[in-house]
Amino acid sequence: MEPLEIVRLVLLAGHILGLAAIIGTFFVQMRANDGFATGVVLAGAITQVVTGLALVGVREAADLGVDNIKIAVKAGIAIIVLVAAIIAHVKQRKGGKAKGAFHAAGGLAVVNVLVAVLWQ
């Protein structure tokens, strides 16, 4: 196996773990009104953005094709998820209500999965 392929697979595993952190936390706490695990969602969102951009870089380095429009849409959604996770985390730490931002981050992460899978 080539070194670049190993890097891609490690990044892909990290990307999936970041996704699991966001969506898993979202589904488990969807019906809650407070006490959200915003730190887990924030860590997952950061992981998603970093590994997603790195995955695109690895594909480009390997001269593999990239659908730039799809990547732009997914990156845009991922950044919105990250911003919502930051807002939820900050609000919760200050004692405020994080429910709206928490649900925005989780819901948009689900949308991003659908874009990744259904956009061919």
Side-chain angles (χ1 to χ4, degrees):
M1 189 177 300
E2 295 182 27
L4 203 54
E5 180 65 8
I6 293 169
V7 170
R8 188 188 72 80
L9 292 174
V10 169
L11 289 170
L12 183 60
H15 199 64
I16 292 169
L17 290 172
L19 173 71
I22 299 169
I23 293 179
T25 304
F26 173 64
F27 282 141
V28 167
Q29 297 186 316
M30 193 181 322
R31 295 178 53 107
N33 287 320
D34 60 3
F36 300 107
T38 57
V40 176
V41 174
L42 179 57
I46 292 168
T47 302
Q48 282 278 280
V49 170
V50 170
T51 58
L53 293 174
L55 281 165
V56 172
V58 168
R59 286 191 63 86
E60 289 287 344
D63 288 328
L64 300 173
V66 177
D67 185 344
N68 290 320
I69 297 172
K70 177 180 177 181
I71 296 303
V73 169
K74 287 188 51 53
I77 294 170
I79 290 169
I80 295 169
V81 169
L82 177 59
V83 169
I86 291 168
I87 291 169
H89 190 66
V90 169
K91 279 187 175 183
Q92 186 165 304
R93 286 188 59 147
K94 291 184 176 182
K97 294 284 185 179
K99 186 174 183 176
F102 177 82
H103 284 273
L108 285 170
V110 172
V111 168
N112 220 2
V113 170
L114 294 174
V115 169
V117 172
L118 299 176
W119 187 326
Q120 296 297 320

